[in-house]
Short mmCIF file of all heavy atoms in Angstrom, two decimals:
data_model
loop_
_atom_site.label_atom_id
_atom_site.label_comp_id
_atom_site.label_asym_id
_atom_site.label_seq_id
_atom_site.Cartn_x
_atom_site.Cartn_y
_atom_site.Cartn_z
N VAL A 389 -2.69 28.67 22.32
CA VAL A 389 -2.36 30.09 22.22
C VAL A 389 -3.58 30.80 21.70
O VAL A 389 -4.15 30.41 20.67
CB VAL A 389 -1.17 30.30 21.27
CG1 VAL A 389 -0.81 31.76 21.20
CG2 VAL A 389 0.01 29.49 21.75
N ALA A 390 -4.02 31.83 22.38
CA ALA A 390 -5.28 32.47 21.99
C ALA A 390 -5.17 33.98 22.13
O ALA A 390 -4.39 34.50 22.92
CB ALA A 390 -6.42 31.96 22.86
N TYR A 391 -5.97 34.65 21.33
CA TYR A 391 -6.12 36.10 21.45
C TYR A 391 -7.56 36.39 21.07
O TYR A 391 -7.96 36.25 19.92
CB TYR A 391 -5.17 36.84 20.53
CG TYR A 391 -5.30 38.34 20.63
CD1 TYR A 391 -4.64 39.03 21.66
CD2 TYR A 391 -6.08 39.06 19.74
CE1 TYR A 391 -4.77 40.40 21.77
CE2 TYR A 391 -6.21 40.44 19.86
CZ TYR A 391 -5.55 41.11 20.87
OH TYR A 391 -5.67 42.44 20.97
N ASN A 392 -8.34 36.78 22.03
CA ASN A 392 -9.77 36.98 21.84
C ASN A 392 -10.41 35.70 21.30
O ASN A 392 -10.31 34.65 21.88
CB ASN A 392 -10.04 38.18 20.94
CG ASN A 392 -9.57 39.48 21.59
OD1 ASN A 392 -9.50 39.57 22.83
ND2 ASN A 392 -9.22 40.46 20.80
N THR A 393 -11.02 35.78 20.12
CA THR A 393 -11.65 34.60 19.52
C THR A 393 -10.73 33.88 18.59
O THR A 393 -11.13 32.91 17.95
CB THR A 393 -12.92 35.02 18.75
OG1 THR A 393 -12.53 35.91 17.70
CG2 THR A 393 -13.92 35.70 19.65
N ASN A 394 -9.49 34.31 18.47
CA ASN A 394 -8.56 33.69 17.53
C ASN A 394 -7.74 32.65 18.25
O ASN A 394 -6.93 32.97 19.11
CB ASN A 394 -7.63 34.75 16.92
CG ASN A 394 -8.44 35.91 16.37
OD1 ASN A 394 -9.33 35.71 15.56
ND2 ASN A 394 -8.14 37.12 16.84
N ILE A 395 -7.96 31.35 17.90
CA ILE A 395 -7.33 30.25 18.62
C ILE A 395 -6.56 29.39 17.63
O ILE A 395 -7.09 29.04 16.58
CB ILE A 395 -8.37 29.39 19.36
CG1 ILE A 395 -9.17 30.27 20.35
CG2 ILE A 395 -7.71 28.24 20.09
CD1 ILE A 395 -10.31 29.53 21.01
N VAL A 396 -5.36 29.06 17.96
CA VAL A 396 -4.61 28.04 17.22
C VAL A 396 -4.28 26.96 18.23
O VAL A 396 -3.53 27.20 19.16
CB VAL A 396 -3.33 28.60 16.59
CG1 VAL A 396 -2.55 27.49 15.90
CG2 VAL A 396 -3.67 29.70 15.59
N SER A 397 -4.86 25.77 18.07
CA SER A 397 -4.69 24.70 19.05
C SER A 397 -3.99 23.53 18.40
O SER A 397 -4.07 23.32 17.20
CB SER A 397 -6.04 24.25 19.60
OG SER A 397 -6.84 23.73 18.56
N PHE A 406 3.94 28.66 19.70
CA PHE A 406 3.90 29.68 18.65
C PHE A 406 4.29 31.03 19.22
O PHE A 406 4.05 31.34 20.39
CB PHE A 406 2.49 29.80 18.05
CG PHE A 406 2.01 28.57 17.35
CD1 PHE A 406 1.16 27.68 17.98
CD2 PHE A 406 2.41 28.29 16.06
CE1 PHE A 406 0.72 26.55 17.35
CE2 PHE A 406 1.97 27.16 15.41
CZ PHE A 406 1.13 26.29 16.06
N GLU A 407 4.88 31.85 18.35
CA GLU A 407 5.07 33.28 18.65
C GLU A 407 3.84 34.01 18.13
O GLU A 407 3.51 33.90 16.94
CB GLU A 407 6.34 33.80 17.98
CG GLU A 407 7.60 33.12 18.48
CD GLU A 407 8.83 33.60 17.75
OE1 GLU A 407 8.65 34.48 16.88
OE2 GLU A 407 9.92 33.12 18.04
N TRP A 408 3.15 34.73 18.98
CA TRP A 408 1.81 35.23 18.66
C TRP A 408 1.84 36.69 18.22
O TRP A 408 2.48 37.53 18.82
CB TRP A 408 0.90 35.07 19.88
CG TRP A 408 -0.49 35.62 19.66
CD1 TRP A 408 -1.04 36.72 20.21
CD2 TRP A 408 -1.45 35.08 18.79
NE1 TRP A 408 -2.30 36.90 19.74
CE2 TRP A 408 -2.59 35.90 18.87
CE3 TRP A 408 -1.48 33.97 17.94
CZ2 TRP A 408 -3.74 35.65 18.15
CZ3 TRP A 408 -2.63 33.73 17.23
CH2 TRP A 408 -3.74 34.55 17.34
N THR A 409 1.12 36.95 17.15
CA THR A 409 0.81 38.31 16.72
C THR A 409 -0.70 38.42 16.65
O THR A 409 -1.35 37.55 16.07
CB THR A 409 1.42 38.61 15.34
OG1 THR A 409 2.82 38.41 15.41
CG2 THR A 409 1.12 40.04 14.93
N PRO A 410 -1.34 39.44 17.24
CA PRO A 410 -2.81 39.49 17.27
C PRO A 410 -3.39 39.38 15.86
O PRO A 410 -2.87 39.93 14.91
CB PRO A 410 -3.10 40.86 17.91
CG PRO A 410 -1.88 41.17 18.70
CD PRO A 410 -0.72 40.57 17.94
N GLY A 411 -4.51 38.63 15.76
CA GLY A 411 -5.16 38.42 14.48
C GLY A 411 -5.85 39.67 13.99
O GLY A 411 -6.78 40.17 14.60
N SER A 412 -5.41 40.17 12.86
CA SER A 412 -6.03 41.37 12.26
C SER A 412 -5.54 41.46 10.84
O SER A 412 -4.60 40.80 10.43
CB SER A 412 -5.64 42.63 13.05
OG SER A 412 -4.23 42.80 13.01
N LEU A 413 -6.20 42.26 10.06
CA LEU A 413 -5.77 42.51 8.69
C LEU A 413 -4.74 43.62 8.69
O LEU A 413 -4.98 44.72 9.22
CB LEU A 413 -6.97 42.91 7.82
CG LEU A 413 -7.94 41.78 7.47
CD1 LEU A 413 -9.14 42.35 6.73
CD2 LEU A 413 -7.25 40.74 6.62
N ASN A 414 -3.56 43.34 8.11
CA ASN A 414 -2.54 44.37 8.02
C ASN A 414 -2.83 45.26 6.81
O ASN A 414 -3.75 44.99 6.03
CB ASN A 414 -1.15 43.75 7.95
CG ASN A 414 -1.03 42.79 6.77
OD1 ASN A 414 -1.67 42.98 5.74
ND2 ASN A 414 -0.21 41.76 6.93
N GLY A 417 -3.76 43.79 3.50
CA GLY A 417 -4.90 42.90 3.39
C GLY A 417 -4.63 41.50 3.87
O GLY A 417 -5.51 40.66 3.83
N ALA A 418 -3.39 41.20 4.36
CA ALA A 418 -3.05 39.86 4.82
C ALA A 418 -3.37 39.73 6.31
O ALA A 418 -3.39 40.71 7.04
CB ALA A 418 -1.58 39.58 4.57
N ILE A 419 -3.62 38.50 6.73
CA ILE A 419 -3.95 38.22 8.12
C ILE A 419 -2.65 38.00 8.89
O ILE A 419 -1.74 37.32 8.42
CB ILE A 419 -4.84 36.97 8.22
CG1 ILE A 419 -6.10 37.15 7.37
CG2 ILE A 419 -5.21 36.66 9.65
CD1 ILE A 419 -6.96 35.92 7.29
N SER A 420 -2.56 38.60 10.09
CA SER A 420 -1.39 38.35 10.92
C SER A 420 -1.37 36.90 11.36
O SER A 420 -2.40 36.21 11.33
CB SER A 420 -1.40 39.28 12.14
OG SER A 420 -1.40 40.63 11.73
N HIS A 421 -0.22 36.43 11.80
CA HIS A 421 -0.06 34.99 11.99
C HIS A 421 0.78 34.67 13.21
O HIS A 421 1.42 35.54 13.79
CB HIS A 421 0.61 34.37 10.75
CG HIS A 421 1.97 34.94 10.48
ND1 HIS A 421 2.18 35.94 9.54
CD2 HIS A 421 3.19 34.67 11.04
CE1 HIS A 421 3.46 36.25 9.53
NE2 HIS A 421 4.10 35.49 10.42
N VAL A 422 0.77 33.36 13.56
CA VAL A 422 1.72 32.78 14.50
C VAL A 422 2.64 31.87 13.70
O VAL A 422 2.28 31.40 12.62
CB VAL A 422 1.01 31.99 15.62
CG1 VAL A 422 0.18 32.89 16.49
CG2 VAL A 422 0.16 30.88 15.02
N LYS A 423 3.83 31.61 14.22
CA LYS A 423 4.76 30.73 13.52
C LYS A 423 5.36 29.72 14.48
O LYS A 423 5.41 29.95 15.70
CB LYS A 423 5.86 31.52 12.83
CG LYS A 423 6.86 32.17 13.76
CD LYS A 423 7.98 32.85 12.97
CE LYS A 423 9.03 33.41 13.91
NZ LYS A 423 10.14 34.05 13.16
N VAL A 437 -4.09 20.90 8.41
CA VAL A 437 -4.76 21.79 9.35
C VAL A 437 -6.26 21.70 9.12
O VAL A 437 -6.73 21.76 7.97
CB VAL A 437 -4.27 23.25 9.19
CG1 VAL A 437 -4.94 24.15 10.21
CG2 VAL A 437 -2.75 23.32 9.32
N ASP A 438 -7.01 21.56 10.21
CA ASP A 438 -8.47 21.58 10.15
C ASP A 438 -8.93 23.03 10.16
O ASP A 438 -8.73 23.75 11.14
CB ASP A 438 -9.03 20.82 11.35
CG ASP A 438 -10.56 20.73 11.31
OD1 ASP A 438 -11.16 21.28 10.38
OD2 ASP A 438 -11.13 20.11 12.23
N THR A 439 -9.53 23.47 9.07
CA THR A 439 -9.99 24.86 8.93
C THR A 439 -11.50 24.97 8.96
O THR A 439 -12.04 26.01 8.57
CB THR A 439 -9.45 25.44 7.61
OG1 THR A 439 -10.00 24.69 6.51
CG2 THR A 439 -7.95 25.38 7.54
N SER A 440 -12.18 23.89 9.38
CA SER A 440 -13.64 23.89 9.30
C SER A 440 -14.28 24.90 10.25
O SER A 440 -15.43 25.31 10.05
CB SER A 440 -14.18 22.49 9.61
OG SER A 440 -13.74 22.05 10.89
N ASN A 441 -13.55 25.35 11.30
CA ASN A 441 -14.12 26.29 12.27
C ASN A 441 -13.62 27.72 12.06
O ASN A 441 -13.69 28.53 12.97
CB ASN A 441 -13.78 25.83 13.70
CG ASN A 441 -14.44 24.52 14.05
OD1 ASN A 441 -15.57 24.26 13.63
ND2 ASN A 441 -13.74 23.68 14.80
N ALA A 442 -13.10 28.02 10.87
CA ALA A 442 -12.58 29.36 10.59
C ALA A 442 -13.13 29.85 9.26
O ALA A 442 -13.24 29.07 8.30
CB ALA A 442 -11.05 29.35 10.58
N ARG A 443 -13.46 31.10 9.19
CA ARG A 443 -13.95 31.69 7.93
C ARG A 443 -12.82 32.39 7.18
O ARG A 443 -12.76 32.32 5.97
CB ARG A 443 -15.08 32.69 8.23
CG ARG A 443 -16.33 32.05 8.82
CD ARG A 443 -17.41 33.09 9.05
NE ARG A 443 -17.75 33.77 7.81
CZ ARG A 443 -18.53 34.84 7.74
NH1 ARG A 443 -19.02 35.39 8.85
NH2 ARG A 443 -18.81 35.39 6.57
N CYS A 444 -11.97 33.07 7.90
CA CYS A 444 -10.83 33.75 7.27
C CYS A 444 -9.54 33.23 7.92
O CYS A 444 -9.38 33.31 9.14
CB CYS A 444 -10.94 35.27 7.45
SG CYS A 444 -12.42 35.99 6.67
N TRP A 445 -8.64 32.72 7.09
CA TRP A 445 -7.41 32.15 7.62
C TRP A 445 -6.32 32.20 6.55
O TRP A 445 -6.58 32.47 5.38
CB TRP A 445 -7.61 30.71 8.07
CG TRP A 445 -8.34 29.84 7.07
CD1 TRP A 445 -9.65 29.54 7.05
CD2 TRP A 445 -7.76 29.20 5.92
NE1 TRP A 445 -9.97 28.74 5.98
CE2 TRP A 445 -8.81 28.52 5.26
CE3 TRP A 445 -6.50 29.13 5.37
CZ2 TRP A 445 -8.62 27.77 4.09
CZ3 TRP A 445 -6.29 28.40 4.22
CH2 TRP A 445 -7.35 27.73 3.59
N LYS A 446 -5.09 31.90 6.98
CA LYS A 446 -3.98 31.76 6.04
C LYS A 446 -3.01 30.73 6.58
O LYS A 446 -2.81 30.60 7.79
CB LYS A 446 -3.29 33.10 5.77
CG LYS A 446 -2.34 33.57 6.87
CD LYS A 446 -1.57 34.80 6.41
CE LYS A 446 -0.51 35.23 7.43
NZ LYS A 446 0.26 36.39 6.96
N LEU A 447 -2.41 29.99 5.65
CA LEU A 447 -1.46 28.93 5.98
C LEU A 447 -0.30 28.99 5.00
O LEU A 447 -0.51 29.21 3.80
CB LEU A 447 -2.12 27.54 5.88
CG LEU A 447 -3.31 27.28 6.78
CD1 LEU A 447 -3.99 25.98 6.40
CD2 LEU A 447 -2.89 27.24 8.24
N GLY A 448 0.92 28.77 5.47
CA GLY A 448 2.07 28.79 4.58
C GLY A 448 3.37 28.77 5.35
O GLY A 448 3.47 28.15 6.41
N TYR A 457 1.98 31.99 1.21
CA TYR A 457 0.87 31.41 1.96
C TYR A 457 -0.38 31.36 1.09
O TYR A 457 -0.50 32.04 0.05
CB TYR A 457 0.59 32.23 3.22
CG TYR A 457 0.31 33.71 2.99
CD1 TYR A 457 -0.99 34.16 2.76
CD2 TYR A 457 1.34 34.64 2.98
CE1 TYR A 457 -1.24 35.50 2.54
CE2 TYR A 457 1.11 35.98 2.77
CZ TYR A 457 -0.20 36.42 2.55
OH TYR A 457 -0.44 37.74 2.32
N LEU A 458 -1.31 30.53 1.54
CA LEU A 458 -2.65 30.42 0.97
C LEU A 458 -3.61 31.10 1.94
O LEU A 458 -3.63 30.77 3.13
CB LEU A 458 -3.04 28.95 0.78
CG LEU A 458 -4.49 28.67 0.38
CD1 LEU A 458 -4.76 29.15 -1.04
CD2 LEU A 458 -4.80 27.18 0.50
N GLN A 459 -4.41 32.02 1.42
CA GLN A 459 -5.32 32.78 2.27
C GLN A 459 -6.75 32.59 1.77
O GLN A 459 -7.02 32.67 0.57
CB GLN A 459 -4.95 34.27 2.27
CG GLN A 459 -5.91 35.14 3.09
CD GLN A 459 -5.43 36.56 3.21
OE1 GLN A 459 -4.34 36.82 3.71
NE2 GLN A 459 -6.22 37.50 2.72
N LYS A 460 -7.66 32.31 2.71
CA LYS A 460 -9.08 32.19 2.37
C LYS A 460 -9.85 33.30 3.06
O LYS A 460 -9.72 33.51 4.27
CB LYS A 460 -9.64 30.83 2.80
CG LYS A 460 -11.09 30.63 2.37
CD LYS A 460 -11.59 29.25 2.75
CE LYS A 460 -13.01 29.03 2.21
NZ LYS A 460 -13.98 30.00 2.71
N SER A 461 -10.63 34.00 2.27
CA SER A 461 -11.46 35.05 2.80
C SER A 461 -12.84 34.91 2.17
O SER A 461 -12.99 35.08 0.95
CB SER A 461 -10.86 36.43 2.49
OG SER A 461 -11.70 37.46 2.95
N ILE A 530 3.61 28.95 9.27
CA ILE A 530 2.80 30.05 9.80
C ILE A 530 1.33 29.65 9.74
O ILE A 530 0.88 28.91 8.86
CB ILE A 530 3.04 31.36 9.03
CG1 ILE A 530 2.67 31.21 7.55
CG2 ILE A 530 4.47 31.82 9.19
CD1 ILE A 530 2.72 32.53 6.79
N PHE A 531 0.56 30.17 10.73
CA PHE A 531 -0.86 29.93 10.85
C PHE A 531 -1.52 31.25 11.25
O PHE A 531 -1.14 31.85 12.25
CB PHE A 531 -1.16 28.86 11.91
CG PHE A 531 -0.38 27.58 11.73
CD1 PHE A 531 0.91 27.48 12.23
CD2 PHE A 531 -0.92 26.50 11.07
CE1 PHE A 531 1.64 26.31 12.08
CE2 PHE A 531 -0.20 25.33 10.91
CZ PHE A 531 1.08 25.24 11.42
N GLY A 532 -2.49 31.66 10.48
CA GLY A 532 -3.21 32.89 10.79
C GLY A 532 -4.70 32.68 10.72
O GLY A 532 -5.20 31.98 9.84
N VAL A 533 -5.44 33.27 11.65
CA VAL A 533 -6.90 33.15 11.65
C VAL A 533 -7.48 34.47 12.13
O VAL A 533 -6.97 35.09 13.06
CB VAL A 533 -7.35 31.97 12.55
CG1 VAL A 533 -6.90 32.17 13.97
CG2 VAL A 533 -8.86 31.81 12.48
N LEU A 534 -8.56 34.90 11.46
CA LEU A 534 -9.21 36.16 11.81
C LEU A 534 -10.55 35.92 12.48
O LEU A 534 -10.93 36.64 13.38
CB LEU A 534 -9.40 37.03 10.55
CG LEU A 534 -10.00 38.43 10.78
CD1 LEU A 534 -9.09 39.24 11.69
CD2 LEU A 534 -10.21 39.14 9.46
N ASP A 535 -11.25 34.87 12.07
CA ASP A 535 -12.58 34.59 12.60
C ASP A 535 -12.71 33.09 12.80
O ASP A 535 -12.89 32.35 11.82
CB ASP A 535 -13.66 35.11 11.64
CG ASP A 535 -15.06 34.95 12.22
OD1 ASP A 535 -15.17 34.56 13.38
OD2 ASP A 535 -16.04 35.20 11.49
N GLY A 536 -12.60 32.61 14.03
CA GLY A 536 -12.74 31.19 14.28
C GLY A 536 -11.47 30.60 14.87
O GLY A 536 -10.72 31.27 15.59
N SER A 537 -11.18 29.35 14.55
CA SER A 537 -10.02 28.66 15.11
C SER A 537 -9.49 27.65 14.11
O SER A 537 -10.21 27.17 13.23
CB SER A 537 -10.39 27.95 16.42
OG SER A 537 -11.34 26.93 16.18
N LEU A 538 -8.19 27.35 14.24
CA LEU A 538 -7.52 26.34 13.43
C LEU A 538 -7.03 25.23 14.35
O LEU A 538 -6.68 25.48 15.49
CB LEU A 538 -6.33 26.93 12.66
CG LEU A 538 -6.63 28.05 11.67
CD1 LEU A 538 -5.33 28.60 11.11
CD2 LEU A 538 -7.52 27.57 10.55
N LYS A 539 -6.99 24.01 13.81
CA LYS A 539 -6.52 22.87 14.57
C LYS A 539 -5.50 22.09 13.75
O LYS A 539 -5.80 21.65 12.64
CB LYS A 539 -7.69 21.95 14.96
CG LYS A 539 -7.26 20.77 15.82
CD LYS A 539 -8.47 19.93 16.21
CE LYS A 539 -8.05 18.76 17.08
NZ LYS A 539 -9.21 17.91 17.44
N LEU A 540 -4.32 21.91 14.31
CA LEU A 540 -3.27 21.14 13.64
C LEU A 540 -3.53 19.67 13.83
O LEU A 540 -3.64 19.18 14.96
CB LEU A 540 -1.90 21.52 14.21
CG LEU A 540 -0.68 20.84 13.60
CD1 LEU A 540 -0.54 21.23 12.14
CD2 LEU A 540 0.57 21.21 14.37
#
Side-chain angles (χ1 to χ4, degrees):
V389 181
Y391 180 83
N392 295 334
T393 61
N394 309 305
I395 302 174
V396 176
S397 62
F406 296 99
E407 297 177 1
W408 178 250
T409 302
S412 61
L413 287 174
N414 57 31
I419 303 174
S420 300
H421 60 262
V422 295
K423 70 176 184 178
V437 182
D438 183 359
T439 63
S440 57
N441 295 324
R443 296 181 58 189
C444 298
W445 48 263
K446 77 172 185 178
L447 300 170
Y457 56 89
L458 171 69
Q459 177 173 301
K460 184 177 185 300
S461 177
I530 61 172
F531 308 83
V533 60
L534 183 61
D535 185 7
S537 64
L538 300 175
K539 183 178 180 181
L540 182 64

